[in-house]
Amino acid sequence: MSIEMGTETSTEDYALRPATADDAEFLADMLTAAVNWDPAREAVSRDQVLADPRTAHYVEGWPRRGDLGVTAVAPGGRPIGAAWLRSFGADDPGYGFVAEDVPELSLGVVLAWRGKGVGRALLREAVRRAADGGFARICLSVERANRARLLYLGEGFVTVASGPDSDTMVLSVPGR
Ligand SMILES: CC(C)(COP(=O)(O)OP(=O)(O)OC[C@H]1O[C@@H](n2cnc3c(N)ncnc32)[C@H](O)[C@@H]1OP(=O)(O)O)[C@@H](O)C(=O)NCCC(=O)NCCS
């Protein structure tokens, strides 16, 4: 069961709140988790993720104007997951870039909390906030072998482009 109170959504187990500047380090952790989604591959370190411009720009300078994010927190306030949206310029596109006015979604949940509905709740809340923020579409890039792809399909994302291993997906934001 979830109870909505102003900007917060609570369940018995965790709460969702807007991602703030204080969450910058945690977002970098979740970005690192997203890069390392496949446990069978050699892990990329957090430092490497933040040193590589292709990944660092998802969190650099968080929060920038136009950024939008949601953090899931366990009782006591410890962050356990985050979903955030950032728009990129055509001169510095994210992996899932489709247009400058279509922000790209990043999503991660700490290992111990996966498979309990946190990721879906974060995604839905990010979409709701995107609608409030006036965004008509959001995009993302996901490797085809990542189970997260099924989450996105189930939430209404459609594949608009495919590379050898990954898909670019777009959601038409409901109500926009
Ligand atoms: C992908 C991720 C954010 C999903 O969050 P979650 O809290 O584990 O997911 P939920 O419990 O809300 O489940 C929603 C769907 O996500 C998928 N999912 C569930 N557990 C998952 C896991 N361990 N890994 C990947 N996807 C998972 C399933 O499709 C699930 O749908 P189902 O319950 O109908 O099977 C999370 O597993 C994660 O952080 N994975 C590593 C980082 C990553 O891959 N990020 C996305 C990069 S595009």
Side-chain angles (χ1 to χ4, degrees):
M1 193 187 64
S2 87
I3 311 152
E4 293 218 11
M5 296 172 297
T7 59
E8 305 233 337
T9 306
S10 299
T11 70
E12 291 154 51
D13 302 313
Y14 63 89
L16 302 182
R17 59 158 175 75
T20 68
D22 290 342
D23 294 313
E25 293 298 317
F26 181 68
L27 263 51
D29 292 343
M30 292 301 93
L31 177 64
T32 305
V35 169
N36 291 304
W37 68 270
D38 184 355
R41 278 190 213 154
E42 192 181 339
V44 181
S45 74
R46 188 180 193 278
D47 285 351
Q48 283 174 290
V49 169
L50 297 179
D52 184 338
R54 293 170 301 177
T55 42
H57 66 174
Y58 286 94
V59 294
E60 237 159 30
W62 176 269
R64 286 191 189 142
R65 235 181 82 185
D67 285 347
L68 183 164
V70 187
T71 303
V73 291
R78 190 174 61 86
I80 56 165
W84 68 102
L85 291 164
R86 170 167 276 185
S87 300
F88 293 97
D91 56 348
D92 179 33
Y95 286 105
F97 181 82
V98 295
E100 293 190 343
D101 62 348
V102 180
E104 183 168 337
L105 178 88
S106 302
L107 174 66
V109 172
V110 299
L111 195 55
W113 279 82
R114 289 182 196 165
K116 300 177 195 292
V118 178
R120 192 184 298 278
L122 280 167
L123 175 56
R124 288 184 176 176
E125 186 61 17
V127 170
R128 193 151 52 214
R129 286 170 193 268
D132 290 347
F135 294 107
R137 294 185 293 162
I138 64 180
C139 63
L140 59 82
S141 173
V142 63
E143 286 188 59
R144 218 163 293 118
N146 189 343
R147 267 177 69 199
R149 189 172 155 272
L150 301 177
L151 166 63
Y152 303 139
L153 282 172
E155 294 298 313
F157 282 82
V158 295
T159 303
V160 295
S162 291
D165 304 312
S166 62
D167 289 338
T168 298
M169 305 182 89
V170 169
L171 176 76
S172 292
V173 174
R176 295 301 311 171

